[in-house]
Amino acid sequence: MQSNTANTASSTFQGNALAAFSFLLWGLMPLYYQFLPNADINELLAFRILFSVPFMALVFILLGRSMPSLAELKADKRSVLLCGLASLIMCVSWYSFTWAMTHGQVLAASLGFFINPLFAIALGVLFLGDKLSAAQKMAVVLGICGISYMVYSYGELPWLALSMGSFFALYGLCKKFIRFDSLTSVTVEALLLMPVAAIYLMWLWGSDQSVVISSAMSGELATLLLYIGSAPVTLMPLVFFALAIRATSLSMIGLMQYVEPSLQFLLAVLVFNEHFDQVKAVSFALIWTGLLLCSLEALPKLRKKTKAPV
């Protein structure tokens, strides 16, 4: 009994460590994109998709697993179609995120990931029949108040943050119905989009519109390598996250997910000196209060689940 308990505790600790590391990597991602100011987002996204496939193939090799076979994919065509839908949804979210990273809008990205759980809660109620707790209801109300105050003060919606938060929540909802494991589904998503990305890059090259490829042909490889590197940089946290899910609870992951936007917020304000005025302070405070209420509500349940058996 003691041996099993020790093994479970060790596995849980490893899972928590992997989850924390994945959110840490996501949170520090703005540092990488500072080397790509005003990047061509379409071309950058195409490079990310194209080089995601060989990177995921390397991950499967390192984990001692085989890539999904054609027979496996044919056996579950519904999941393949859902992977296609998920990949398109993720493109919108990543397009918004990458634009924010490369155009001095890290604060908007942080806001997007802070409000993402609120969108996820709403989608859970609408499509999965979830029932809201008192804390979740208050979090949604406070989130709406925070966004409304920003709209009232600035006279416009924070489209960048809203598109990131909403489409990432839609991506999560779509993944609920995919029967492949996390690594396989991410690989299938990249495989489905790879031909489009390859054709787009070839068209850019053929029409002499790709500054990145043209500069690489001239011997300047730095920007090309940074564009290619966007694939492993964005997928590495996802790999660690997928490994963490097997060894820790969703409640713990739900609490730790705020590491990512918190780090992005600190980088935006303290490192990149983005403007943080009274309006943003009030809006963030309202959203943070709602998320704090949800976290405090989840802690007692988490303690019960992680309490070692006697």
Side-chain angles (χ1 to χ4, degrees), residues 118-132:
L118 304 180
F119 279 111
I121 289 170
L123 290 176
V125 172
L126 290 173
F127 296 100
L128 302 177
D130 293 347
K131 302 295 182 183
L132 293 187

Side-chain angles (χ1 to χ4, degrees), residues 7-248:
N7 289 337
T8 301
S10 175
S11 176
T12 301
F13 174 79
Q14 291 174 0
N16 293 342
L18 286 169
F21 187 58
S22 69
F23 288 121
L24 178 66
L25 290 178
W26 266 317
L28 295 176
M29 205 175 293
L31 294 173
Y32 180 87
Y33 283 100
Q34 292 307 300
F35 294 103
L36 290 168
N38 302 311
D40 184 314
I41 305 302
N42 293 322
E43 191 170 7
L44 182 57
L45 185 61
F47 269 101
R48 179 192 175 275
I49 292 168
L50 185 64
F51 285 91
S52 291
V53 176
F55 176 76
M56 291 307 298
L58 177 62
V59 169
F60 273 91
I61 292 171
L62 293 175
L63 294 176
R65 294 176 52 183
S66 57
M67 288 278 285
S69 65
L70 192 59
E72 288 178 274
L73 301 183
K74 284 184 176 179
D76 195 349
K77 294 177 182 177
R78 178 176 176 272
S79 289
V80 172
L81 288 173
L82 286 171
C83 281
L85 177 61
S87 65
L88 293 175
I89 293 172
M90 178 52 82
C91 276
V92 178
S93 180
W94 273 111
Y95 187 95
S96 304
F97 174 77
T98 308
W99 195 94
M101 293 294 102
T102 56
H103 289 76
Q105 295 290 323
V106 177
L107 207 54
S110 172
L111 177 61
F113 284 117
F114 272 124
I115 61 178
N116 165 254
L118 304 180
F119 279 111
I121 289 170
L123 290 176
V125 172
L126 290 173
F127 296 100
L128 302 177
D130 293 347
K131 302 295 182 183
L132 293 187
S133 64
Q136 288 174 329
K137 289 177 182 177
M138 184 59 68
V140 171
V141 170
L142 288 171
I144 293 172
C145 290
I147 298 298
S148 299
Y149 181 71
M150 197 175 288
V151 172
Y152 173 78
S153 301
Y154 292 148
E156 60 181 13
L157 282 167
W159 289 110
L160 196 58
L162 289 174
S163 64
M164 284 177 53
S166 60
F167 275 90
F168 196 68
L170 283 170
Y171 177 75
L173 176 66
C174 192
K175 298 282 271 189
K176 287 275 189 182
F177 300 98
I178 296 174
R179 287 186 283 264
F180 301 137
D181 63 80
S182 298
L183 295 181
T184 299
S185 63
V186 170
T187 305
V188 173
E189 290 164 27
L191 279 168
L192 292 172
L193 288 178
M194 185 176 68
V196 179
I199 291 170
Y200 177 70
L201 289 174
M202 286 190 290
W203 175 76
L204 285 179
W205 183 26
S207 58
D208 201 26
Q209 295 186 55
S210 173
V211 177
V212 177
I213 297 176
S214 298
S215 62
M217 298 287 284
S218 305
E220 298 177 15
L221 297 175
T223 304
L224 175 64
L225 292 175
L226 285 169
Y227 271 55
I228 293 173
S230 66
V233 163
T234 53
L235 287 173
M236 275 180 60
L238 191 59
V239 171
F240 285 111
F241 180 77
L243 295 174
I245 283 180
R246 299 180 180 182
T248 190

